[in-house]
Amino acid sequence: NFIHMGGSGAVYRIGESDFCVKILNDGNFYASGRASNNCQLENENYISAKAYDAGVSVPEPRGIVGIRHPDHGNFVPGFVMEYIPAVENPSLWQIAKLKANHWRELRKARKAGVIIEDSYSKYHRHNLILSVKNKRWYLIDFGNWKEAKK
């Protein structure tokens, strides 16, 4: 079940489960298992796990798996994480709360040693989702996240 297409890949829900998978794209064609794609997904898994373990509101990462691409059937690497059912059109009140929650989560991530490189200039509202279940905001899209140098 297709959820969202972003700049670096697409996210699909895995059946009716509580998990989804991010599959990277490579230009106009989806990732074919090349090492660079595996490295990016491994970094997203590692850095999101570090943030999750520190209490930052991110979907729980579950690892990298090989998966058949739902569109063309090729075997590709995928980053599996918790599926968060999101509010489709947040209310103005919910959006007003977004900014405060956003900065709080970014500070928690920074304190945990996670740097979201584009967080102060380009980290957009569409990189946050509001959970239908618990009305909590979650940071998503880990492609530009990195570990702080010690």
Side-chain angles (χ1 to χ4, degrees):
N1 300 348
F2 176 77
I3 297 172
H4 179 76
M5 174 63 79
S8 65
V11 178
Y12 298 85
R13 185 168 182 191
I14 302 173
E16 295 301 314
S17 73
D18 292 332
F19 303 102
C20 61
V21 62
K22 179 178 183 178
I23 300 171
L24 296 180
N25 61 31
D26 185 12
N28 292 326
F29 187 74
Y30 288 94
S32 59
R34 293 192 321 212
S36 63
N37 292 323
N38 288 334
C39 288
Q40 181 178 339
L41 290 175
E42 286 170 5
N43 182 66
E44 290 191 42
N45 179 62
Y46 170 77
I47 206 73
S48 63
K50 184 174 176 123
Y52 181 84
D53 290 345
V56 179
S57 291
V58 297
E60 181 180 6
R62 301 302 289 235
I64 307 300
V65 299
I67 190 166
R68 293 230 177 256
H69 195 286
D71 292 341
H72 53 65
N74 291 343
F75 197 66
V76 296
F79 167 40
V80 177
M81 66 195 104
E82 173 186 16
Y83 169 69
I84 308 288
V87 172
E88 292 288 329
N89 296 302
S91 69
L92 290 176
W93 179 82
Q94 290 168 327
I95 291 169
K97 290 186 72 177
L98 173 136
K99 191 169 186 176
N101 288 314
H102 176 219
W103 291 110
R104 182 187 68 234
E105 294 305 316
L106 293 176
R107 283 191 300 273
K108 281 200 295 191
R110 185 92 155 128
K111 189 174 182 180
V114 174
I115 297 173
I116 305 170
E117 284 199 328
D118 58 357
S119 63
Y120 296 101
S121 58
K122 299 181 231 167
Y123 204 75
H124 298 113
R125 185 179 83 157
H126 62 269
N127 287 338
L128 292 130
I129 56 174
L130 177 62
S131 170
V132 169
K133 291 181 180 178
N134 62 14
K135 301 300 184 220
R136 181 169 144 195
W137 288 99
Y138 289 81
L139 298 171
I140 58 170
D141 196 357
F142 314 109
N144 289 321
W145 295 28
K146 65 180 184 177
E147 190 169 22
K149 295 178 183 171
K150 296 181 181 184

